[in-house]
Amino acid sequence: MNAINSVEPTLVGGGLAVAFEVIAAGRVVKCTVSRESLQRYFWLQSDADDARVLKIFNDGRHRIVAIAERKALRLAAASIHLEVADFQR
């Protein structure tokens, strides 16, 4: 597995999520992480602009990608969405 994958993250859903890709089991998986997850687990302010959302994503990218890779392997799906529950320990 590749800890950091190559496609640049983008905002989707009117800024309610960040889209990115991971490689899991040799396949590309399209992923999104909710803005709420970034607010609760990565200290994103609720009034943050798009640039700040992407910065916070990139700051937490290692952890976000690791969780996405594990979920992608577990579900064997072509796409996954990370929510708050995915970050709870």
Side-chain angles (χ1 to χ4, degrees):
M1 285 185 273
N2 186 359
I4 297 297
N5 294 282
S6 60
V7 174
E8 287 298 315
T10 58
L11 290 171
V12 295
L16 295 178
V18 176
F20 61 103
E21 293 179 349
V22 298
I23 299 172
R27 61 189 169 79
V28 175
V29 179
K30 296 187 182 299
C31 306
T32 55
V33 58
S34 70
R35 184 182 182 114
E36 181 183 4
S37 296
L38 296 175
Q39 289 173 332
R40 291 194 52 193
Y41 290 97
F42 298 92
W43 306 282
L44 176 68
Q45 300 84 2
S46 60
D47 61 347
D49 63 14
D50 293 354
R52 183 72 181 159
V53 174
L54 292 173
K55 181 186 182 326
I56 292 295
F57 173 86
N58 281 316
D59 289 350
R61 189 174 187 128
H62 286 281
R63 182 173 175 210
I64 295 165
V65 166
I67 290 169
E69 286 175 336
R70 285 193 299 271
K71 187 172 183 176
L73 288 170
R74 188 175 70 247
L75 298 178
S79 65
I80 59 166
H81 180 68
L82 300 178
E83 290 286 347
V84 169
D86 294 306
F87 294 93
Q88 294 173 343
R89 292 182 183 200

